[in-house]
Amino acid sequence: MSGPLVLGIESSCDETSVGIVRGNELLANEVASSVAAHARFGGVVPEVASRAHLEAMTPTLTRALATADIDLAQVDAIAVTAGPGLMGSLVVGLASAKALASALGKPLYGLNHLVGHVAVDILDHGPLPEPVLALLVSGGHTQLLLVRDITGDIVEVGTTIDDAAGEAYDKVARLLGLGYPGGPVIDQHAQTGNPRAITFPRGLTARHDLERHRFDYSFSGLKTAVARYVEQRELDGEPVDVPDVSASFQEAVADVLTAKSVDAAQHFGVQHLVLGGGVAANSRLRTLMAERAAAARIELRRPRPGLCTDNGAMIAVLGAQVVRAGRPPSSLTISADSGMPVEQVLA
């Protein structure tokens, strides 16, 4: 497959990753995670993450080049996450990318981490339809995006007004004593639980809420409901059925995520829906979204679970799209932007 050969660097949180793509073809995607170093703190510690990126960057780059079987001199462009994310972590990746671009005389593209989560589906299913509605669900973000052009025309049509879905997973896992990160472990326990055992609330789905927040999300109330349920069981001297709580909580999250996504797709007349972000690897979300999209005759695109979490491949493939579109490269003086808005694809 032809296309620009792009090396992508991702370091926005606790994964150091280098991906290499040629056009829409994935050649390498090496990831070094520091999640184990954060687990005992119950969440990501920025200083720990930054140090881990410093230690892992060169070895990860070396592995990616070996896997792709290419030399750095062959690369056409260097792409890197410029934001959003943890400032210290972003700076490590950006400094590395600037050094490579400067030393090799290659163009630099500072890209939006969130848009990368949407673009990564190209590696599994080819070019994105235009327009496409994207549900981006991660530890820090829950957004509905109307994407008319992945390289420069993205509009946020819905977002969370409090906790992100992934954040709610982490907090509920902590309540249940399941550790960090919460998403995978709750998903695992939910497999043997009854999703109808406990009726937890669906945020912003009441009629008066839909008038103002039709496509927005809220998971704070759900998290509080789980906490109150667990506390009451303990006060009553009753055991907490972790699988049932996990399954019921997960059903509430998946229910509202999928219902609002399909509603938004129908409202905007979009026939294609793509999942993105770490929570997009969740088994119940993937299954329920497939069922509801099919019922509404909407084509669903789901990248493989391994491409849903933070990775360099998503930055590399977004970089390839930007290069193909003829977008001007970034300056070597660009700064990391921890609050980079999703509408801004290129720094």
Side-chain angles (χ1 to χ4, degrees), residues 150-169:
I150 194 67
T151 70
D153 189 351
I154 298 173
V155 178
E156 180 186 271
V157 298
T159 188
T160 177
I161 65 171
D162 43 55
D163 292 351
E167 183 181 0
Y169 266 93

Side-chain angles (χ1 to χ4, degrees), residues 47-114:
E47 293 82 359
V48 173
S50 299
R51 182 174 292 278
H53 289 307
L54 283 170
E55 296 172 350
M57 187 61 69
T58 298
T60 307
L61 172 62
T62 300
R63 291 199 307 273
L65 292 170
T67 300
D69 192 23
I70 65 165
D71 185 87
L72 267 175
Q74 296 174 260
V75 171
D76 295 314
I78 305 294
V80 62
T81 297
L86 301 175
M87 181 58 77
S89 295
L90 291 169
V91 166
V92 175
L94 191 56
S96 302
K98 287 181 178 181
L100 288 172
S102 179
L104 298 169
K106 305 293 183 178
L108 173 72
Y109 293 87
L111 302 175
N112 192 303
H113 169 87
L114 303 178

Side-chain angles (χ1 to χ4, degrees), residues 254-280:
D255 184 17
V256 70
L257 285 174
T258 56
K260 292 202 173 204
S261 296
V262 171
D263 183 31
Q266 293 176 321
H267 175 78
F268 291 103
V270 177
Q271 299 300 311
H272 302 270
L273 177 63
V274 61
L275 283 177
V279 182

Side-chain angles (χ1 to χ4, degrees), residues 1-9 18-30 64-65 68 70 74-79 111 119-120 122-124 304 307 311-324:
M1 185 178 295
S2 61
L5 183 63
V6 180
L7 183 147
I9 296 175
V18 177
I20 300 173
V21 305
R22 188 186 301 277
N24 298 343
E25 179 188 7
L26 179 61
L27 303 182
N29 187 35
E30 297 296 324
L65 292 170
I70 65 165
Q74 296 174 260
V75 171
D76 295 314
I78 305 294
L111 302 175
V120 75
I122 293 171
L123 294 172
D124 278 344
R304 73 192 88 155
L307 291 180
N311 62 84
M314 70 186 199
I315 302 303
V317 73
L318 177 57
Q321 310 313 304
V322 169
V323 171
R324 275 177 165 167

Side-chain angles (χ1 to χ4, degrees), residues 42 137-142 163-191 219-220 222-224 226 245-257 278-286:
V137 205
S138 68
H141 301 272
T142 301
D163 292 351
E167 183 181 0
Y169 266 93
D170 288 339
K171 290 179 178 178
V172 168
R174 194 176 302 125
L175 285 169
L176 297 175
L178 299 179
Y180 172 86
V185 69
I186 286 181
D187 196 5
Q188 181 181 0
H189 280 280
Q191 303 307 310
F219 298 103
S220 181
L222 171 59
K223 172 203 66 182
T224 301
V226 175
V245 174
S246 297
S248 299
F249 162 76
Q250 180 159 279
E251 190 68 17
V253 174
D255 184 17
V256 70
L257 285 174
V279 182
N282 178 267
S283 64
R284 182 54 181 156
L285 174 60
R286 294 171 75 87

